Amino acid sequence: MALYEEETFAPVSPNGQCLTTSAFTLTVVVVFEFQVPIHDLPTISMLETLFVPINRRFSSLLVGEKNGEKKWKKVEVNVKEHVKVPTIPTGKSPEYYEKYLVEYLLNISSEPLPEHRPLWELHVFPCPTIRAAGNLIFKFHHALGDGYSIMAAILSMVKRADDPSLSVTFPSWNSSCTSSKSESSHDVKSVLKRVPLVSSWILNTVRDFGWSVLKSSVLADDLSPIRSGEVGLEFLPMDISTMEFSLDHIKQIKTSLKVTVNDVITGVIHLGTRLYMKCKDKNAGDKKATTVVLLNTRRNMEASNKSSSEMIKPNVTIPWGNHFAFLQIPLPKLSNTSPGYDPSPNFDPLQFVYESHHVIKRKRNNPAAFLTGGLLDYIRKIKGPETPARYIYKTMSNSSMGISSLIGPADQMSLCEHPISGIYFSVAGVPQSLRVSVLSYMSKVRISFAVDKNFIDLEKLKTCVQNAFESISKAALHS
C-alpha cells in the first residue's frame, strides 16, 4: 500500500500550494504564432507522445488533505477532453480574426480550469491573424509550474527549425558589462574595504525584508491611473495586447549603460508607465507606485548557459514547480515633466534604467526575498496554505503593477515541422489593473500587457512605452 501511494501521489511545491487556495488562483496562457497554416497539425498525437509524458503533473489531479495541503494524484488522461477548437466564422479578414483572437484570449483567461481532469488545455485557433497563419494557445494552472518549468515543457516538444538535430540555444540576457579586478584574500586593505560592504549588506537585508513585510500587509500604493484599488480585480474583464522591441537594440543600450537587458526593459516599462500616469493625471508623477517583479530562486540557474537538452531534464538540472520570490521595486518619480507623452528637455530618462539597475541588484544580492519566502513557508507549515496565500494576494493587490520575464530561445523553433514565428504569454487571476509579461524569442523581445479593460487605455499606454524606449535609446547611445 505504501508503494502504491508513493507512485500515485506527489507533493505540490510550497509556492504551488499557495496558488491552489480559495484566496486566489493563477493561470498562465501561452500563445504560439505559426508561420504556416496549422490545419494539418497532428494535435492529439502531439499531446499524447510529446506533451503528456514530459512530467507527471500533466497527467495528475490536485487532491486535498485535511490540513489544506494538496498533492498530485496520477490519473489516466483523455487528451481529446483537453483540446478546444472554437467555432469561428469563415472567410473573414486577418484584422477580424485578430480581434476575435483577443476576445477569445480574454474569455478563456477568465474561465477556471475544470478540477476533474489535469489542469491544462490546448486551444486551436486555425484562422490567419495579422501576425500569424494560425495560433495554438496553451492554458496552464500556475500550480503546474512557473515560467522556467513551462519553458522546459515547450522545449520538450519543439525542434530547431533550421536543423532539428541541434539543440535550441539561449541569448545572454542578464550579464552585466561591468568588470572588476579580483583582490587577494590575504590583502589586509582588501579585508578592511569589505567591512562597510558587509554592514551595508546587513542593513539592506533588514530594510528590504521589513519593507516587504509592511508592503504586503499595511502599506498600499496610492490610487492612480494604473491602480484603481477596486476589490476583485482578478475577476474583471481584461484587455490584452503586445508590442515588440529589437533584442540587439536593447543589448546596445545595455552595453552603453553597463547594465543588464532586464534593467533596460524594466526601465523602459517604468518610464512608459509613469508617462502614461502623467498623461492621464498631471499630479500622478509623484504618486507612490510599486512593481512586483518575479525573481527566479533556482540555484545556479542561468538560461543563457543552458542548452535545451539540459532544460528538458527538470528533475536533474532545473527543479519543476514554482521556485520564485517577489521583488518589490518602487517606480521612480516623474515630477519634472510636462503633462503628455514627452518629458521636459531637462529630464534624464536614463535615471529609470539606472534606478532599476541599482534597486534590482541590491535586492537580488541580499537574502530579504529568501527570508520572506522562508517566513511564508513557516506560516504554511503552521497554519496551512490559505494564510500565506492571502499574504501573497495582499502583496499583489497593494502594488500597482507586476512584471514577469522569461528568456526564450535564440533560434526559431518548429512544432511537428510547423515553424513558430512568435511566442508570448500572460498571467490571469492577478489582483492588479496592470500586468506585464516579457519573453524573448529569436531576435525580439515581446512585451505583453494585460490591463483592466474599463480602467486603463491600453493603446495610449503602449504609445507611452514606445516613446519611453525611444527616449532611453537616444539618451543611451549619445551618452
Side-chain angles (χ1 to χ4, degrees):
M1 182 65 178
L3 178 61
Y4 173 80
E5 289 182 348
E6 183 179 352
E7 290 179 345
T8 306
F9 293 90
V12 177
S13 65
N15 280 339
Q17 296 280 356
C18 298
L19 300 176
T20 60
T21 64
S22 61
F24 73 118
T25 297
L26 301 183
T27 56
V28 181
V29 176
V30 185
V31 182
F32 291 76
E33 298 172 334
F34 285 86
Q35 192 172 317
V36 298
I38 59 173
H39 298 282
D40 59 341
L41 193 66
T43 307
I44 301 299
S45 62
M46 174 194 74
L47 292 173
E48 291 176 339
T49 60
L50 298 179
F51 178 73
V52 173
I54 293 170
N55 191 280
R56 62 176 297 155
R57 296 165 190 244
F58 296 136
S59 55
S60 298
L61 300 178
L62 273 176
V63 294
E65 297 186 338
K66 292 181 180 179
N67 62 355
E69 298 279 339
K70 293 190 176 181
K71 291 186 177 181
W72 296 108
K73 179 183 178 182
K74 193 82 165 63
V75 296
E76 291 294 326
V77 182
N78 183 354
V79 168
K80 292 182 180 180
E81 292 183 346
H82 295 259
V83 178
K84 310 295 178 183
V85 182
T87 302
I88 308 173
T90 59
K92 302 293 185 179
S93 67
E95 290 78 12
Y96 174 88
Y97 292 126
E98 186 77 25
K99 294 180 180 179
Y100 198 107
L101 175 62
V102 171
E103 290 297 323
Y104 187 73
L105 288 173
L106 297 179
N107 291 333
I108 66 172
S109 297
S110 61
E111 296 173 353
L113 286 160
E115 296 182 358
H116 67 276
R117 62 178 185 236
L119 299 174
W120 60 270
E121 290 178 345
L122 176 64
H123 297 255
V124 182
F125 194 93
C127 301
T129 61
I130 295 175
R131 301 184 60 93
N135 293 264
L136 284 186
I137 307 161
F138 272 98
K139 181 180 177 181
F140 302 92
H141 193 295
H142 212 314
L144 291 169
D146 55 18
Y148 286 92
S149 298
I150 291 172
M151 182 57 66
I154 291 172
L155 293 175
S156 298
M157 297 186 293
V158 301
K159 301 289 185 181
R160 271 183 61 160
D162 59 343
D163 189 342
S165 66
L166 297 178
S167 297
V168 175
T169 60
F170 293 84
S172 175
W173 189 329
N174 288 328
S175 299
S176 175
C177 296
T178 57
S179 61
S180 59
K181 296 181 180 179
S182 60
E183 296 176 309
S184 171
S185 59
H186 300 289
D187 189 341
V188 176
K189 292 182 179 179
S190 175
V191 174
L192 292 175
K193 287 179 181 179
R194 295 178 188 274
V195 172
L197 294 177
V198 172
S199 300
S200 176
W201 180 82
I202 295 174
L203 289 174
N204 286 336
T205 299
V206 173
R207 179 180 64 175
D208 289 340
F209 176 69
W211 190 72
S212 175
V213 172
L214 291 173
K215 197 79 180 85
S216 301
S217 53
V218 296
L219 296 180
D221 283 355
D222 295 333
L223 299 183
S224 71
I226 62 168
R227 183 174 185 268
S228 66
E230 190 169 346
V231 177
L233 281 170
E234 64 272 28
F235 304 115
L236 297 182
M238 304 295 292
D239 200 0
I240 298 175
S241 186
T242 70
M243 60 192 306
E244 279 187 349
F245 295 106
S246 164
L247 181 57
D248 290 336
H249 195 164
I250 292 174
K251 286 184 175 181
Q252 290 177 359
I253 300 173
K254 177 203 79 165
T255 301
S256 176
L257 302 183
K258 295 182 172 59
V259 294
T260 70
V261 168
N262 198 54
D263 296 332
V264 176
I265 294 171
T266 304
V268 168
I269 294 171
H270 277 180
L271 176 55
T273 302
R274 277 295 189 189
L275 289 174
Y276 172 82
M277 294 169 67
K278 190 86 172 183
C279 179
K280 302 296 286 186
D281 177 0
K282 64 180 181 180
N283 299 315
D286 291 330
K287 287 186 178 291
K288 182 171 59 179
T290 308
T291 299
V292 174
V293 178
L294 262 64
L295 169 68
N296 171 45
T297 58
R298 290 172 175 81
R299 294 185 180 274
N300 303 318
M301 171 57 194
E302 177 59 43
S304 62
N305 294 330
K306 299 285 182 183
S307 69
S308 59
S309 59
E310 291 176 293
M311 286 194 72
I312 62 176
K313 298 176 182 177
N315 295 322
V316 179
T317 48
I318 303 178
W320 268 73
N322 286 277
H323 299 268
F324 61 81
F326 296 114
L327 295 184
Q328 295 167 315
I329 311 297
L331 266 72
K333 294 183 178 181
L334 190 65
S335 54
N336 58 335
T337 62
S338 58
Y341 297 134
D342 300 318
S344 66
N346 297 325
F347 171 71
D348 181 12
L350 299 184
Q351 75 178 51
F352 278 77
V353 177
Y354 286 130
E355 286 201 36
S356 297
H357 171 73
H358 292 308
V359 174
I360 292 174
K361 182 178 180 181
R362 189 192 79 220
K363 288 178 177 285
R364 286 182 67 99
N365 290 340
N366 72 58
F370 295 91
L371 290 175
T372 303
L375 174 63
L376 293 179
D377 195 37
Y378 175 77
I379 295 173
R380 180 186 62 81
K381 292 176 181 178
I382 300 299
K383 296 187 175 183
E386 289 284 343
T387 301
R390 287 193 292 270
Y391 180 96
I392 296 175
Y393 181 93
K394 198 72 172 177
T395 299
M396 294 179 175
S397 62
N398 278 356
S399 302
S400 298
M401 61 185 293
I403 299 178
S404 55
S405 59
L406 193 61
I407 305 173
D411 314 291
Q412 184 174 22
M413 302 182 295
S414 68
L415 181 61
C416 299
E417 300 182 352
H418 290 65
I420 299 171
S421 56
I423 319 174
Y424 62 95
F425 74 101
S426 183
V427 181
V430 182
Q432 294 171 329
S433 297
L434 173 58
R435 315 157 200 169
V436 185
S437 306
V438 182
L439 177 63
S440 66
Y441 179 54
M442 294 195 286
S443 59
K444 301 290 185 180
V445 171
R446 190 80 167 268
I447 300 179
S448 173
F449 299 92
V451 304
D452 183 343
K453 192 172 186 178
N454 298 319
F455 182 67
I456 292 180
D457 185 337
L458 183 52
E459 290 307 312
K460 185 171 289 186
L461 173 63
K462 289 171 60 179
T463 299
C464 291
V465 172
Q466 181 65 46
N467 286 352
F469 180 78
E470 293 172 0
S471 297
I472 288 174
S473 174
K474 182 178 178 180
L477 300 181
H478 289 86
S479 60

